[in-house]
Amino acid sequence: KIYGRRQRLDGNIREVRLTWEDSAPANYQMTFNAAGGVANVAGTGQVALKVDNDAAGAQTPHIDQVLASASAVAGAKGNGFVATNSPYLRVEFNINAADVNGKIFIGLRETPGTAIPVAGASVEDCAGIAWLGTVWGILSGDGVTISSQAPSVSPTNDSRHVIEFYITSGVSLEVWLDGVKVLTKTTNPPTGAAILQLSFLLEHAAVVGAATKSVLTIGEVIIQENLA
C-alpha cells in the first residue's frame, strides 16, 4: 500500500530504498556510530540503536547518510536531498521503551551528529519526529529557526510504526503515522537548496536512570525527490 505522498516512479522521480539486507553496513554508504551504545544490523531487513539507561556516561549511537563528496568515489553525483525537490521519506521503526533521560530523532537534517535538533536553539534545515524526553514532537527547521509541534497521534512503545514525511519547500511539512495524517506543520519547514541527509539518533544523557535498555529498531527506509 502506498501511503501519504509517495509518488509512482517516472522519469522525474528519484527513489532510494534502504532494506539493510547486507551484513556490511558500510556497503550502504551509511555511517554506523556506536558512540557509547550499540549501532548495528539487527536481523534480516533492519538495524538497531541501543543504549543502557542505567549507565553513567552519555550514549549517542547514530546512523547517518554519507554524502557522495565524503565517499571513496571521487566525482560521484551528489546523493543528498533538497527541500526544493519536495522530498518524501518513509521509515519503519519501533522503540521498545522511550526513556525520560533519552531523546530520539528520525528524519532528514542538514547536520547529522550526536545531538537531536533543538527547537529554539539549533540552526539547520531539518524535518523529522523526535522523542523529547516526555513527549513526541514533529521538528522542522528552515535554516534560521527550528520549532516543534505535537502530532495528533504519537507512536507507542514496542509497536512497529510507519512514519512518513512530505516537504513542500518553504510551505509545509506533512506527516503521516501508520497511514493516518497526524500533522500539517506550516511553521519553519525546510526551504531552499540546503542538503538534507538521512539521520537516525538515539541520545541518552549522562544520568543513571532505570535499569532498562532502550532499543530503536529501523526497518525499511524509502526516500524520494522530484527532479523535474
Side-chain angles (χ1 to χ4, degrees), residues 3-227:
Y3 295 131
R5 294 289 294 273
R6 185 180 174 198
Q7 301 180 67
R8 296 184 182 278
L9 298 181
D10 62 24
N12 295 320
I13 302 300
R14 171 195 176 207
E15 179 171 281
V16 175
R17 301 166 68 102
L18 298 180
T19 54
W20 316 108
E21 297 293 349
D22 197 306
S23 61
N27 290 346
Y28 291 101
Q29 288 299 290
M30 301 288 287
T31 299
F32 282 57
N33 300 280
V38 174
N40 212 333
V41 291
T44 301
Q46 59 188 29
V47 293
L49 303 175
K50 181 176 77 172
V51 299
D52 293 318
N53 295 320
D54 59 351
Q59 303 163 74
T60 55
H62 55 288
I63 302 173
D64 305 322
Q65 182 178 350
V66 175
L67 294 180
S69 59
S71 75
V73 183
K77 179 66 175 174
N79 62 332
F81 303 89
V82 296
T84 49
N85 289 344
S86 302
Y88 162 87
L89 173 64
R90 178 187 186 273
V91 180
E92 295 179 356
F93 75 98
N94 172 80
I95 179 69
N96 72 320
D99 187 71
V100 67
N101 296 310
K103 296 179 181 178
I104 296 167
F105 180 78
I106 299 169
L108 295 165
R109 61 188 300 193
E110 189 177 359
T111 56
T114 58
I116 72 169
V118 178
S122 304
V123 177
E124 63 175 306
D125 283 82
C126 64
I129 188 169
W131 170 252
L132 304 171
T134 56
V135 296
W136 289 93
I138 302 301
L139 298 181
S140 66
D142 55 11
V144 177
T145 302
I146 293 176
S147 58
S148 175
Q149 188 172 338
S152 60
V153 178
S154 294
T156 55
N157 286 348
D158 210 21
S159 297
R160 190 176 292 273
H161 293 290
V162 174
I163 187 82
E164 298 168 275
F165 308 93
Y166 184 81
I167 298 169
T168 301
S169 179
V171 176
S172 65
L173 169 63
E174 297 174 78
V175 185
W176 292 260
L177 182 67
D178 302 326
V180 177
K181 181 176 276 192
V182 295
L183 184 64
T184 298
K185 191 174 185 297
T186 57
T187 53
N188 313 114
T191 185
I195 302 299
L196 299 173
Q197 306 168 55
L198 290 165
S199 177
F200 310 109
L201 167 65
L202 180 57
E203 177 185 352
H204 188 270
V207 176
V208 176
T212 60
K213 302 181 188 299
S214 289
V215 181
L216 173 63
T217 304
I218 302 294
E220 185 180 49
V221 177
I222 299 174
I223 185 166
Q224 292 183 332
E225 64 177 347
N226 191 334
L227 302 178

